[in-house]
Amino acid sequence: TAEISRNASEASMGTQEVTSNVAGIQTASDQTSSATTVVKGHAEKLREEADALEKAVDDIVEELKAA
């Protein structure tokens, strides 16, 4: 019975380690998701600024053509 008790204890420690690892993976996943959201927001803002810059350049080119 001592061996059974030792095996049960080892299994319990292994289960705790797996639970801890799963929690760590969840935390990392949440952080990755947050970072992805931030990067997506910056990319959208950059796209808006690029569109505005493109329009401004097009307007200048049109003004130069008309001059």
Side-chain angles (χ1 to χ4, degrees):
T1 60
E3 185 175 343
I4 293 171
S5 176
R6 183 176 50 80
N7 289 342
S9 178
E10 288 176 7
S12 175
M13 287 188 300
T15 300
Q16 290 172 353
E17 185 176 345
V18 168
T19 299
S20 176
N21 289 341
V22 169
I25 290 168
Q26 180 63 47
T27 298
S29 175
D30 291 345
Q31 290 171 345
T32 299
S33 179
S34 294
T36 299
T37 300
V38 169
V39 169
K40 182 181 177 195
H42 289 308
E44 289 171 353
K45 178 67 176 166
L46 184 58
R47 179 74 247 166
E48 291 170 7
E49 291 178 6
D51 289 344
L53 180 59
E54 181 179 22
K55 181 173 180 343
V57 169
D58 288 345
D59 290 349
I60 291 170
V61 169
E62 290 302 315
E63 286 179 23
L64 291 173
K65 285 180 183 178

